[in-house]
Amino acid sequence: MMFKDYLTDKKNHIEEVLKTLLQTKQPQFGPLYESMNYSLMAGGKRIRPILMLATIEALGHDAAPYTEMACALECIHTYSLIHDDLPCMDDDDLRRGKPTNHVIYGPGIATLAGDGLLTFAFELLARQKDIDPDKLNRCIAVIAEAAGPSGMVGGQAFDLASDGKMDIGREGMELLHRSKTGVIFKAAIDMAAIVSDAEPAVRKALDEYATYMGLTFQITDDILDVVGDEALLGKPVGSDLKNDKATYVTIFSLEDARQMAKDASDKAVRALEPLGDKAWFLKELVEHLLTRVH
C-alpha cells in the first residue's frame, strides 16, 4: 500500500470511531458535549493515533483491537489544543480553519470541554475489556505521565514562563518541545510497544525514533508559523512572533531551523534500521512531516 493511501485509510477509520464516542443522555449537558465534539471532529491529521496503530502493525500485530486506546490519545491532544488557544494562553481565534472553541462557546465552556476530553480519555482507556489488564495499566501510566505535570502540562508551563526569553538555548528548546509536543508522540509509540511485547532492543530503537520524529514535527511547526500559508495551515501565521514565543526560528534562524529539522528526520529514519522493511510507514511518516505544508 502507498503511504498516502495507508495514512488516509487509518485517518478515516479513526474518525469513524471518534464520531461514536462522545454521547450524553443528559440534555442539560448537551452544550458541553457539543463543544467537545466541535473540537474533536474539527479535522486534523490524527497523527498520534495513527502512529500508535502503525507501530503496532510494524511490530507484526493486528492493530484493530487498540483503536479506542489510540483515540484516547486524540482526545488528549484535542484538549491541549482547546486550552492552548484560550485567551489566558495563546489567545488564538482560528484552529484547523475554524473559529477556536472559546470563540464559539466562550472561555468557560471551552475550558470545561478541554477538561472533559482529558478525563474522558482515561474513561475510554479504563473501559477496554479485551486487553491484558497488566498491559492496559502500563499504558494508562504511560499516557498519564505524558499528559501530566512532568510531561505536556509541565511543557506548557515552561512555554508560558519562556515568553519573551530568547536565551533558553537549544537545550531549553528541546526540553520545551519534548515535553509539550514530543511526549505524546512518544506515549503513542510506548503504548504500541507495550501491547506488542516489543523486545528491549526494539524498544530502544522506537524510543530514539520517537524523540527525533517529535523534534522534526515541532521544528517544522515553528518554520510553518513563519513561512506557512494560513489557508493551508488553518490557523494564524506569525502567532509565535506576536506572542513573543521562544521557537527554533526566533532563537536561531529560519535557515538553522530547516537544517535542524532535516538532521532530526535523518536520525529518526536511522533509528528504525533494526526494524527493517516492516517500519516503512514510520520512515515515510517522518519524511512526510519534514516536508509538510500544513
Side-chain angles (χ1 to χ4, degrees):
M1 182 181 290
M2 299 294 288
F3 173 81
K4 288 186 177 179
D5 293 333
Y6 185 99
L7 191 68
T8 300
D9 284 352
K10 281 284 185 282
K11 179 180 176 181
N12 290 342
H13 176 54
I14 287 161
E15 291 192 340
E16 285 302 312
V17 175
L18 288 173
K19 287 178 187 176
T20 70
L21 296 179
L22 289 169
Q23 312 291 333
T24 180
K25 297 179 181 178
Q26 298 290 341
Q28 298 91 333
F29 299 166
L32 172 63
Y33 277 76
E34 181 184 324
S35 174
M36 293 163 70
N37 274 305
Y38 173 80
S39 291
L40 187 63
M41 301 310 303
K45 295 176 280 293
R46 313 303 190 191
I47 293 297
R48 291 148 189 85
I50 290 172
L51 184 59
M52 178 180 172
L53 299 180
T55 302
I56 292 170
E57 291 182 350
L59 295 175
H61 297 269
D62 179 14
Y66 306 102
T67 302
E68 285 197 356
M69 290 181 68
C71 286
L73 290 164
E74 191 67 16
C75 290
I76 289 176
H77 174 55
T78 305
Y79 125 76
S80 74
L81 298 182
I82 294 173
H83 281 197
D84 216 26
D85 292 333
L86 287 170
C88 61
M89 302 289 272
D90 288 349
D91 194 19
D92 282 327
D93 58 8
L94 195 67
R95 171 72 69 176
R96 293 171 174 170
K98 299 180 180 181
T100 48
N101 197 293
H102 70 270
V103 170
I104 300 295
Y105 298 98
I109 289 294
T111 301
L112 293 172
D115 294 343
L117 284 164
L118 173 61
T119 49
F120 177 74
F122 290 96
E123 176 186 337
L124 191 57
L125 288 166
R127 72 188 191 196
Q128 302 304 306
K129 302 299 183 186
D130 298 325
I131 297 171
D132 176 81
D134 178 64
K135 292 180 180 179
L136 183 59
N137 284 341
R138 289 161 62 196
C139 286
I140 291 172
V142 162
I143 200 170
E145 182 176 358
S150 62
M152 188 166 60
V153 174
Q156 185 64 58
F158 183 32
D159 188 25
L160 288 174
S162 300
D163 286 355
K165 298 177 181 177
M166 300 303 167
D167 59 352
I168 64 173
R170 186 163 184 171
E171 184 177 338
M173 285 302 304
E174 291 189 2
L175 172 62
L176 172 62
H177 292 310
R178 184 170 64 248
S179 302
K180 186 180 173 183
T181 303
V183 70
I184 302 299
F185 289 130
K186 186 175 186 302
I189 289 174
D190 284 347
M191 291 165 68
I194 289 168
V195 300
S196 302
D197 292 316
E199 296 293 332
V202 172
R203 288 289 299 269
K204 182 178 179 181
L206 290 173
D207 282 347
E208 188 171 353
Y209 170 78
T211 296
Y212 290 112
M213 177 263 189
L215 191 57
T216 303
F217 181 94
Q218 186 57 57
I219 299 174
T220 304
D221 216 45
D222 288 351
I223 293 169
L224 289 174
D225 188 72
V226 176
V227 302
D229 183 331
E230 186 169 311
L232 292 174
L233 288 172
K235 61 181 181 179
V237 179
S239 60
D240 290 336
L241 185 61
K242 179 192 76 172
N243 293 321
D244 209 15
K245 292 286 186 185
T247 75
Y248 282 91
V249 177
T250 59
I251 288 185
F252 304 105
S253 70
L254 184 59
E255 183 180 350
D256 286 341
R258 283 175 167 153
Q259 186 60 52
M260 290 176 186
K262 179 65 168 62
D263 291 345
S265 70
D266 289 345
K267 289 177 181 178
V269 170
R270 284 199 299 271
L272 292 172
E273 288 177 0
L275 278 71
D277 293 341
K278 294 182 295 183
W280 70 270
F281 176 81
L282 300 180
K283 292 176 184 176
E284 292 195 34
L285 176 61
V286 76
E287 292 166 353
H288 168 74
L289 294 176
L290 177 68
T291 58
R292 67 193 174 99
V293 294
H294 60 84

